[in-house]
Each structure stands twice: as C-alpha cells, then as structure tokens.
Amino acid sequence: MTSHPTWVLLCLLIPIAAAFTALSTTSRKRRHRPSTQIREFFAAAAAAHDDSISQQQKVVIIGAGWGGLSAAHALSKSKSSPSSLSLQITIVDAAPRVGGLVRDGFSTINNTIISSQAEAGQHGFWDNYYNIFALLENDLQSKISNVNDVLTGYAEQGQYSPRGLEAIWPVYRESRHGRPRALPTGLGQALYTKFINLPPFDRATAAPLILAFSEFDDSPEAWKRYDSISFRDLCIKLGVSKRCYDEAFEPMILTGLFAPGAECSAAAALGMAYFFVLRSQNSFDVRWCRGNIGRLIFDPFRELLMEQGVRFEMSTRVQGFEMEGNTISKVVCSTTRNKEEGEIISLGADTVVFGLGGAALSAMVRNSPELAQYSEFRRFANLRGTSVLATRLYLDTVLDTKYSANACWGFDEGVGMTFFDITKLHGVDVTKRTDGVGSIVEVDYYHAASLLVMSDEAIVDKVKKDLNTILGLQCINANVIDAAVVRLPQAVNWYSPGSYSNMPDAKSSSITNAFFCGDLVRSRHGSWSQEKAYVSGIEAANLILSRREGSGIIPLPNDEPHVALGRSALALAKTFLGRGDANKAPSLVDFVW
C-alpha cells in the first residue's frame, strides 16, 4: 500500500527493468496412393497438435496484485513473438477482485449509499513510477484513452497533528513567482517545503543523515549493513534531535513503512526515502486516482490480460502443491465462489510465480509441507506484515478541506494516519447526488492492530472525532450517513531490522520452477511500493523467458551529479581505508551500532 510514504523528509536533508519452435513434419519420399496420403496427412496433423499441447508451458501465478498482474502481462505479451514459448497463464487469487491489497469492492456498514464501493486505502502514483505510467499511457491506451481522466493533477498536500496544520508540501515541478524552481535535489525540497512549527535548529540536526544516504547505495552489501539497525537507532546515534525525530521522521516511517521507526530497518527507510523524496526535486509530486482504483485501472488491466489469453481463477485459495523432485508439478486450490463449499481444482504447472506479500507467503509455507522441506522457504516463515485500517465516511455536509491529501501524526501512539477528501479527488458533483451525501472522507491508519479489534461503530466514532480535531466546527456539525470499515490484518510488508536476509530473490534457489515477484522481492532497480511490485513482475518474466536483465524495464535516472560525487568520494575513501577493498573498510553503521 502506498499512502503518503515519506511525508516529512522533504526539507530535512540537503544534497543528498526458450524459443517457440515451429513444428515441422517430414514425409516419406516414396509415393503413396491418394487415400494413404490423406490418412497420413491427418495423422501427422494430429501428432503435431499433440506435440503442440505438450510443448505449451503452463504458468501458474499466485496473487493478483501489481506483481502478479505485471508478470502475466510481460509473459502474455511475449506470445506475440514468433520465437517465444507457447504459454498458458493462469492467475490464482483468494480475493474476488484483482489488485491484491490495492483493490476495491468493499461495501458500507448500512448499505445505504447507492453504488458505494470502498477501497483498501488510497494509493498514490509518484513521479518516479515510470513503468506504471508507461503501462497506463501505452499498453492500456485502448482501455484508458487519456491518463488525465484516470489520475488527478498535482496539488499541494498538508500534514496535521492534534494541534493543527504542521507542514505544507508544494508541487515541486511548478514555478514560483515566475521563476523556475529546478534546484539540486535536497536543496529544492529544503527551500520550498513549508514547516509551520518545527524550528530550523531541529531540522538542522538531521544533516548527519547525509552520510548515511551517501553510503547506502542500494547494493546487497549496503542492505546487509543498514538492515542490522533500526532507523530510530540510526537517527539517535547520528544526533537527530528528539523533536525532529518525533515530529518529522517518526510520522514519515509510520506512513511510509507502516510501522514505528524503532521497528523498521534503517536500510528500508533510507531506500524508501531516497526513492520517494530525494532522487530528484520532483520525486514527491504525486497523482491520485480520480475514482476507485479497481474500476479505473485494475478492471481495464484485467480485460487486457484476458484478451492476451490470461485466465483468472478468482475467489480461489491455494491449498497445497504436488512435487516431482525439486519441481512443482501441480498447484492444488479450492474455490470459494458464491460463498459455497469450495470445490478442489488442480492446476498443472511448468512454472509457478509467487506474487505474495510477506505475511501471505509466510502462511503458505507454514501450511505447506511441500514448501517447508526447503530451508529457503522455511526462512520465509519469519516474514510478517503490519495491519492497516481503511475507513470511508459519508457525511451529510460538504466540508471545506484545504488539501485533498494529508498525513497526520500524534493521534494514537505508534499509529500512522492519513486522510483524503474523496469528493475532491474523485471530482464528485454533490449537487447531482440524491442520497443526501455531501463530503466523502477517507481516513486510513497504519500499524493499526490495536484499532482493528474495535467494533465498526466504535471505529466510525473514533474517525469522526479525529476529523473533528483536524477540521473543526464544520466537521463537528456534520453527521455520518454511512461508513465503510476495511480491516487489513498483517496486510502490508513489515521491513523490520534483519528482515532482508529472509526476503526472496526473483528466482528460487531450491525449487527449479519457482519464481517470486512483489515489493518484498530483492531487486536492484531502486523503486519501492507499487512501482517495485510492478517492476519485479517483469523481472520474474525475464528470468522465465531467459531474457537479458532489465529487458522491458524503464530504469530510474542516474543520481544527480552532486549526489553521485558524494557517493564516489565516500567510496574512494572507503577503498583507501580498506586497503583496496571498500567492503573491508569500516561503515558508518560500525560507529553508531
């Protein structure tokens, strides 16, 4: 899930992607009578058909989120190539609709709102989502005529605490007072972001983190070093002030990695923040979906995949596997359609792609002796997820919200929070509604296990009180007509310290025909969240098709010159200290641990 992943870092740090062989038959040179020739022609055709079926590779993709859909798309597109494998692709997912965590289809509590379909949180499309934007603008062009009809424009965003507005994030790509805003990354964010209450002195204490960003280059070696320490410990050891951490970094981690900084890997925090905030000045510019993401994006994506021959088995849960040596030969599933007792189906598999989050992959290993016999898969049982609570309130009053997308902190200890004016984001014309609804407001909570246990009524009451605190009298006087409450226990990957060693690579090292995709998979692309999940699907497809690394993937731009210079200088110094081997030199982590 991507809500507001790095809401606060913006002003704190300165500088800083088997060939299909045509069957041929050889006929005998000797002459035949016409009837014999006809019989042999049909016999040869039948044999060729049987051989074609046997050569068709069956691919089963478990999970219909961004990763699984991306893998299916990359594989099914390859079928148009005359030299490609003949593939039969099936996507299996326990949910009734595609999208994985990023899906819709949730009803309101009282079912009084006509055609209301709440979502599992709001999901932004940040400036560095190059591959997803390419999908929307190119591959889905026949389904989505204009991306601007699907995504909002860029707009300012706000941040609130119980005491009021705390910060404003501008649109970084726009000009100010007629002058271009383009500045080196870090400097531009620092100058143009407006913090209301956080003093400059406290912001300045974040400067030593520049060294950590310079050393963390997203390599496996850097991940191993910085994954051993929590982000909170890294900040404390580097001298970040308590106020700066509590009001800036902790909210960033809670809404970006969905857990407190004391329980999040420093490696994950640095990688996420660099991608969403510091790669370029425009990195934090974000667009939102103009309607429910399932209807506007995932439904067209599913239609395209079906046209490309992909088969979907939704409301279908994987129960186990059949093995032939170190190869998965069948995926055994049960269907849960129409809430009836599930029928067992067995899907033959030449290739299996696991497109699952950490908690789902962990549960699958725990419940599958076939997978648990391998130490590689047993380590996945250590993966876990953090919980999300997504709510949507339908009010009888039109609220005047200054910003349509907002991050919040300080309402619940250890819980992140965001709220969105859905009426504005979706362009709802309230004058045409006949159900009495004015504003529709989405409020989402992260690391929210303590809230999930509350009743629907208690949750709605809490959400309304939080909005009252933020929006004041106008919200206090508004009444809730209906509400949607979506509980997502352990649904989002938890990047805890030490979790890197348990993450899967794109290809299994123990099961010869197993592959992985999703935002938990190790990758050198450098992206995060939805974009990383989408890219990882293409990376899995490239491995399956034996294509070159990065084929079909738009890479991220190179580091800006001052960032590259800083990293090069640090690498040179480490090479000197390591007597020719930078990996033998001391790391910043060695001094703060």
Side-chain angles (χ1 to χ4, degrees):
M1 174 178 291
T2 308
S3 294
H4 277 43
T6 43
W7 287 89
V8 185
L9 192 58
L10 305 170
C11 78
L12 300 174
L13 304 173
I14 299 176
I16 314 262
F20 173 59
T21 305
L23 294 171
S24 61
T25 58
T26 56
S27 59
R28 297 182 180 179
K29 304 278 183 161
R30 60 187 179 89
R31 299 173 63 89
H32 296 275
R33 292 178 302 176
S35 59
T36 303
Q37 289 177 320
I38 292 173
R39 285 196 300 271
E40 290 196 355
F41 171 81
F42 282 111
H49 176 70
D50 292 340
D51 287 345
S52 176
I53 292 176
S54 65
Q55 290 190 24
Q56 191 174 52
Q57 300 292 303
K58 298 176 181 177
V59 180
V60 178
I61 299 174
I62 305 171
W66 274 115
L69 297 176
S70 172
H73 183 43
L75 291 169
S76 58
K77 281 198 306 183
S78 74
K79 296 197 294 185
S80 61
S81 171
S83 61
S84 66
L85 289 168
S86 177
L87 302 175
Q88 177 184 310
I89 304 165
T90 303
I91 295 180
V92 178
D93 199 291
R97 287 175 57 76
V98 301
L101 180 62
V102 193
R103 67 182 181 92
D104 63 4
F106 299 95
S107 301
T108 58
I109 296 173
N110 300 322
N111 291 313
T112 59
I113 308 301
I114 300 174
S115 302
S116 64
Q117 291 288 304
E119 300 172 89
Q122 289 299 294
H123 311 279
F125 294 81
W126 270 261
D127 193 65
N128 290 332
Y129 280 20
Y130 296 105
N131 291 276
I132 288 182
F133 281 124
L135 168 74
L136 299 178
E137 294 169 354
N138 301 321
D139 296 21
L140 290 178
Q141 190 174 28
S142 62
K143 310 292 180 184
I144 301 173
S145 57
N146 189 340
V147 175
N148 294 327
D149 294 334
V150 173
L151 300 180
T152 66
Y154 298 101
E156 287 185 325
Q157 305 169 78
Q159 185 200 40
Y160 289 86
S161 77
R163 66 191 180 196
L165 184 65
E166 295 284 349
I168 302 169
W169 287 274
V171 179
Y172 293 93
R173 64 191 349 95
E174 292 181 352
S175 61
R176 193 179 204 180
H177 306 307
R179 299 192 300 272
R181 270 188 147 169
L183 291 171
T185 185
L187 181 60
Q189 294 93 320
L191 292 179
Y192 298 137
T193 306
K194 184 178 181 181
F195 275 77
I196 311 299
N197 297 311
L198 188 62
F201 171 79
D202 288 284
R203 281 179 268 166
T205 64
L209 278 171
I210 296 172
L211 293 173
F213 276 98
S214 296
E215 184 177 35
F216 184 80
D217 58 3
D218 203 44
S219 66
E221 294 75 22
W223 264 94
K224 291 173 184 176
R225 291 192 196 101
Y226 281 88
D227 191 54
S228 64
I229 185 174
S230 76
F231 183 68
R232 181 177 181 273
D233 285 340
L234 178 66
C235 289
I236 291 174
K237 297 292 186 180
L238 290 178
V240 176
S241 75
K242 184 177 186 303
R243 183 170 182 181
C244 182
Y245 181 82
D246 289 343
E247 297 184 13
F249 288 110
E250 183 73 349
M252 175 193 77
I253 298 301
L254 280 168
T255 55
L257 293 178
F258 312 108
E263 301 179 50
C264 283
S265 158
L270 294 172
M272 177 269 295
Y274 187 68
F275 173 73
F276 280 113
V277 181
L278 291 172
R279 182 165 283 278
S280 73
Q281 178 180 301
N282 297 343
S283 290
F284 198 64
D285 287 345
V286 59
R287 305 176 71 178
W288 303 91
C289 204
R290 289 186 180 273
N292 284 0
I293 192 171
R295 181 176 62 85
L296 294 184
I297 293 179
F298 284 116
D299 283 351
F301 198 3
R302 177 177 179 173
E303 290 175 12
L304 176 65
L305 292 175
M306 292 177 70
E307 290 173 3
Q308 293 173 179
V310 177
R311 184 164 62 105
F312 286 85
E313 292 287 352
M314 304 304 295
S315 299
T316 301
R317 188 178 300 277
V318 173
Q319 299 288 354
F321 304 89
E322 293 184 14
M323 307 290 295
E324 292 182 2
N326 292 325
T327 300
I328 297 174
S329 59
K330 290 183 180 179
V331 180
V332 182
C333 312
S334 65
T335 63
T336 57
R337 301 182 187 95
N338 302 319
K339 297 183 179 179
E340 297 176 356
E341 190 66 29
E343 64 169 311
I344 302 298
I345 60 174
S346 183
L347 301 173
D350 297 296
T351 299
V352 177
V353 181
F354 293 88
L356 303 170
L361 183 58
S362 173
M364 185 165 288
V365 173
R366 293 196 308 270
N367 295 304
S368 174
E370 299 84 11
L371 300 180
Q373 64 180 306
Y374 299 99
S375 59
E376 174 196 16
F377 279 78
R378 288 197 298 273
R379 78 169 194 260
F380 301 154
N382 293 320
L383 298 171
R384 54 182 177 152
T386 182
S387 299
V388 175
L389 174 64
T391 69
R392 186 170 292 189
L393 268 55
Y394 298 80
L395 305 174
D396 65 355
T397 303
V398 177
L399 302 179
D400 180 19
T401 55
K402 190 169 181 61
Y403 309 103
S404 56
N406 307 270
C408 310
W409 59 268
F411 288 84
D412 296 274
E413 184 69 26
V415 178
M417 175 182 168
T418 53
F419 87 88
F420 306 86
D421 188 334
I422 298 298
T423 310
K424 287 184 177 180
L425 289 178
H426 292 188
V428 178
D429 186 350
V430 296
T431 64
K432 295 182 178 179
R433 296 193 70 115
T434 60
D435 51 13
V437 173
S439 285
I440 306 170
V441 182
E442 173 98 17
V443 183
D444 301 329
Y445 300 87
Y446 317 103
H447 193 244
S450 61
L451 305 181
L452 264 58
V453 297
M454 299 167 63
S455 67
D456 287 352
E457 293 74 16
I459 288 174
V460 172
D461 183 59
K462 175 199 164 31
V463 173
K464 180 62 161 53
K465 288 179 179 177
D466 288 344
L467 287 175
N468 291 346
T469 301
I470 295 170
L471 300 175
L473 189 61
Q474 60 169 336
C475 189
I476 294 172
N477 292 332
N479 298 304
V480 178
I481 297 176
D482 205 347
V485 175
V486 182
R487 294 175 176 83
L488 301 164
Q490 301 185 54
V492 182
N493 294 326
W494 193 333
Y495 297 92
S496 57
S499 60
Y500 180 74
S501 62
N502 296 317
M503 295 177 190
D505 293 309
K507 188 180 189 311
S508 170
S509 60
S510 53
I511 297 180
T512 57
N513 64 337
F515 299 81
F516 300 92
C517 61
D519 60 351
L520 191 67
V521 175
R522 296 170 180 165
S523 170
R524 290 302 312 275
H525 182 260
S527 53
W528 274 82
S529 193
Q530 297 177 96
E531 175 76 357
K532 181 183 177 183
Y534 184 81
V535 167
S536 73
I538 305 175
E539 290 177 333
N542 287 340
L543 289 170
I544 293 168
L545 298 171
S546 299
R547 288 177 171 170
R548 64 174 177 82
E549 183 179 355
S551 179
I553 297 173
I554 302 173
L556 290 170
N558 294 330
D559 293 332
E560 291 191 6
H562 64 294
V563 177
L565 180 62
R567 286 182 166 171
S568 297
L570 184 60
L572 185 62
K574 291 185 67 174
T575 299
F576 174 77
L577 292 174
R579 298 184 178 183
D581 187 349
N583 291 323
K584 293 181 179 179
S587 165
L588 181 64
V589 176
D590 298 327
F591 294 100
V592 301
W593 186 235

